[in-house]
């Protein structure tokens, strides 16, 4: 079974609108971390946001927020006020167990986001 | 700019050859991770080093090896290269006690 599932291969959004990218995860470990990364066409992987399994509040970083629903095992990324520069591939990733120092990540297949003017 | 550097940026080589990819982590980061991104396999974790010691191993082939040196830079050695090894190889680093991994720009390897 896949540990990270991103069901949307592609998403379209108009500039200035909000968009939600879906991510569900599968783990039996009580301690885990969830991450979102952005990969523009240039290829680099850019860290966006992190949510720990014990964090009580949803993580936010500027225009990015993570809608963490633990019981549903979902960690959706919300981008508010989309910009043309947001067009990229977005990856959800999970770190399981053992905590920092053993932070290997498992990635989903990604969602391609296209922002139109 | 994440602060993680990788060289070379691009590498073209032939089947059967051996190459070395180099990574310098962010200043002060003790952990280095290697990932492979290919069209068919997606992003896969290969191996992690922490302060010179191997910490975790993922889907790394026996033909691949890595090490982390006393100055904390790391090298990934790929030998007996096959066409299927063509991929984007990322190095990432993280600070001791922190979760977030910061990725380098990657080395794009093409095996002909």
């Amino acid at each position: 079974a896949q540990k990270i599932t991103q069901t949307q291969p592609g998403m379209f959004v108009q500039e200035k609108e909000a968009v939600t990218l879906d991510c569900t995860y599968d783990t039996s470990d009580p301690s885990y971390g969830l991450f979102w990364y952005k990969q523009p066409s240039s290829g680099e992987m850019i860290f966006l946001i992190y949510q720990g399994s014990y964090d009580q509040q949803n993580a936010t970083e500027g225009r990015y927020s993570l809608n963490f629903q633990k019981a549903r095992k979902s960690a959706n990324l919300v981008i508010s006020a989309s910009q043309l520069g947001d067009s990229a591939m977005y990856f959800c990733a999970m770190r399981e167990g053992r905590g920092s120092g053993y932070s290997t990540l498992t990635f989903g297949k990604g969602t391609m986001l296209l922002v139109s003017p | 700019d994440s602060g993680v550097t990788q060289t070379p940026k691009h590498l073209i080589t032939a089947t059967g050859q051996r190459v070395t990819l180099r990574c310098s982590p962010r200043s002060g980061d003790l952990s280095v991770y290697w990932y492979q991104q290919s069209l068919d396999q997606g992003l896969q974790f290969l191996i992690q080093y922490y302060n010179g010691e191997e910490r975790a191993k993922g889907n790394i082939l026996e033909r691949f090896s890595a090490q982390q040196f006393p100055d904390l830079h790391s090298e990934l050695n790929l030998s007996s290269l096959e066409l299927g090894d063509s991929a984007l190889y990322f190095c990432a680093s993280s600070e001791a006690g922190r979760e977030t991994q910061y990725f380098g720009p990657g080395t794009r390897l093409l095996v002909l």
Side-chain angles (χ1 to χ4, degrees):
Chain A
Q2 285 195 26
K3 293 206 170 189
I4 296 285
T5 304
Q6 294 180 254
T7 55
Q8 308 151 315
M11 289 281 286
F12 288 92
V13 67
Q14 273 207 304
E15 207 178 357
K16 296 179 188 160
E17 289 185 352
V19 62
T20 298
L21 306 184
D22 294 342
C23 172
T24 57
Y25 59 92
D26 182 23
T27 181
S28 56
D29 205 313
S31 172
Y32 54 90
L34 297 156
F35 303 78
W36 278 92
Y37 285 85
K38 170 184 176 182
Q39 187 176 37
S41 57
S42 52
E44 73 265 35
M45 293 286 288
I46 302 167
F47 165 72
L48 295 178
I49 198 164
Y50 162 77
Q51 178 88 40
S53 59
Y54 295 117
D55 294 342
Q56 295 295 316
Q57 297 201 329
N58 286 344
T60 58
E61 290 281 354
R63 293 186 300 112
Y64 304 108
S65 60
L66 200 152
N67 185 358
F68 181 45
Q69 297 188 42
K70 201 168 181 175
R72 295 181 60 193
K73 292 190 175 178
S74 78
N76 299 339
L77 177 71
V78 180
I79 306 175
S80 63
S82 298
Q83 300 172 357
L84 295 178
D86 293 335
S87 293
M89 191 72 130
Y90 288 79
F91 291 95
C92 180
M94 177 172 65
R95 184 275 304 157
E96 292 177 277
R98 305 192 85 174
S100 57
Y102 292 84
S103 297
T104 66
L105 299 179
T106 303
F107 284 85
K109 293 190 184 303
T111 296
M112 174 66 78
L113 176 67
L114 290 176
V115 181
S116 61
Chain B
D1 186 341
S2 67
V4 179
T5 60
Q6 289 186 250
T7 56
K9 236 185 151 163
H10 302 274
L11 201 46
I12 302 175
T13 188
T15 54
Q17 294 299 304
R18 173 190 168 94
V19 296
T20 297
L21 312 184
R22 184 189 166 103
C23 167
S24 292
R26 295 185 321 155
S27 178
D29 286 0
L30 299 180
S31 276
V32 167
Y33 312 79
W34 287 96
Y35 292 86
Q36 179 195 58
Q37 185 178 31
S38 61
L39 280 173
D40 51 343
Q41 299 288 336
L43 258 162
Q44 288 199 98
F45 165 70
L46 295 178
I47 197 163
Q48 178 199 358
Y49 279 83
Y50 179 84
N51 203 20
E53 291 188 5
E54 183 184 302
R55 183 62 72 95
K57 224 167 183 174
N59 297 323
I60 188 166
L61 299 171
E62 282 193 18
R63 300 183 285 107
F64 296 1
S65 65
Q67 54 185 326
Q68 187 180 27
F69 295 87
D71 67 352
L72 300 177
H73 92 271
S74 177
E75 293 180 357
L76 179 67
N77 301 296
L78 316 176
S79 61
S80 303
L81 284 167
E82 301 175 359
L83 296 177
D85 297 328
S86 296
L88 184 53
Y89 291 85
F90 285 108
C91 166
S93 73
S94 67
E95 201 178 325
R98 304 298 287 258
E99 293 274 0
T100 301
Q101 295 180 30
Y102 294 92
F103 282 69
T107 293
R108 201 171 289 274
L109 173 67
L110 180 60
V111 182
L112 299 175

